[in-house]
Amino acid sequence: FCYSGKSFSTKEHIIPESLGNDDLILEREVCDKCQNYLSQIENYVLNKTPIGFWRTLMTVKTKKGKLPTVDFTKKSEKNRVLPDFSPHHDNFLLKAHDDFSTELIMQDSLIENLKVDDNGQLKYVFTPKVIHEIGRFLGKIGIELICRNNRDKAREDQFTKLRKYVRVGSLQDLWPIFHKIEGNINTLFNYVI
């Protein structure tokens, strides 16, 4: 991803072990520096997005054998480049249990303001940060799957933009949802909500 890695001491799981993968692996293709950086993206996606929701609901244990939890609590943050908060989002946490049940946890102060829709369902808003990180996560998986089958193809120029997006992100190309949309992302985000 960075073209400058020198240390390759770990194996890269194309799909994270925390999603049950133990055989789709790359060796000596993703440097330690990139692997460490990409693990931050994976952690966010697995712990703060709907992918984490399904992982928790289905009780897919972490690679260390712990039961999963997904944390949808979001604090109002001003001046973030990519907003990760919406006033239309219910703040809650889900925790898996050994008996395959899932516990809904909310702070007492949030229960009073709980916004349940007409069907009695909680709301989760795909913020620009969520979309951005899921896009990078899926891009990483895609490039690594190509590399597993053909390492030279994965390094072709046609994938340079995606490799760069995965590694450093880009506000110009919020892949895939906001691709080629002009204007301020905060203005767009307020409009979409």
Side-chain angles (χ1 to χ4, degrees):
F1 290 95
C2 70
Y3 295 107
S4 62
K6 296 177 183 170
S7 176
F8 296 86
S9 64
T10 59
K11 294 178 182 178
E12 170 67 11
H13 286 76
I14 297 172
I15 295 170
E17 288 176 276
S18 294
L19 289 177
N21 173 40
D22 59 2
D23 60 349
L24 285 173
I25 296 172
L26 285 177
E27 292 190 52
R28 303 202 47 80
E29 296 293 344
V30 180
C31 74
D32 294 347
K33 185 177 177 182
C34 284
Q35 190 174 63
N36 184 48
Y37 180 77
L38 296 172
S39 70
Q40 295 172 35
I41 295 168
E42 288 179 0
N43 285 335
Y44 179 87
V45 170
L46 295 176
N47 295 301
K48 300 289 256 178
T49 73
I51 293 172
F53 167 81
W54 287 107
R55 180 175 151 237
T56 302
L57 195 64
M58 297 179 76
T59 318
V60 178
K61 293 183 179 181
T62 69
K63 68 180 180 181
K64 294 181 180 179
K66 295 182 179 180
L67 290 166
T69 299
V70 63
D71 183 359
F72 289 142
T73 58
K74 309 245 185 192
K75 296 179 181 174
S76 178
E77 298 173 327
K78 302 289 183 194
N79 302 323
R80 286 203 44 117
V81 175
L82 284 172
D84 198 21
F85 173 80
S86 167
H88 305 289
H89 178 87
D90 291 322
N91 288 301
F92 58 95
L93 185 133
L94 296 172
K95 182 177 180 180
H97 293 284
D98 280 322
D99 64 357
F100 296 98
S101 65
T102 305
E103 179 182 4
L104 172 66
I105 302 169
M106 296 188 74
Q107 296 175 354
D108 289 338
S109 61
L110 297 174
I111 292 174
E112 313 170 351
N113 299 322
L114 185 64
K115 296 176 281 303
V116 179
D117 69 12
D118 294 339
N119 297 321
Q121 298 176 345
L122 295 169
K123 295 178 185 175
Y124 177 80
V125 175
F126 278 79
T127 64
K129 179 168 172 107
V130 168
I131 294 168
H132 183 65
E133 297 301 304
I134 288 175
R136 293 171 76 190
F137 175 76
L138 294 174
K140 170 211 160 303
I141 290 171
I143 287 176
E144 289 176 354
L145 284 171
I146 293 168
C147 185
R148 184 172 189 254
N149 291 324
N150 184 334
R151 72 180 308 271
D152 294 327
K153 179 135 184 99
R155 288 168 171 79
E156 288 179 358
D157 288 343
Q158 67 179 326
F159 299 115
T160 299
K161 193 172 183 179
L162 179 57
R163 273 193 307 275
K164 184 177 180 182
Y165 177 79
V166 169
R167 180 61 176 94
V168 296
S170 168
L171 297 181
Q172 301 302 315
D173 300 309
L174 280 176
W175 180 85
I177 306 298
F178 293 134
H179 187 67
K180 295 188 180 181
I181 290 179
E182 296 178 15
N184 180 303
I185 189 69
N186 289 311
T187 304
L188 173 67
F189 179 60
N190 290 332
Y191 174 75
V192 170
I193 297 177

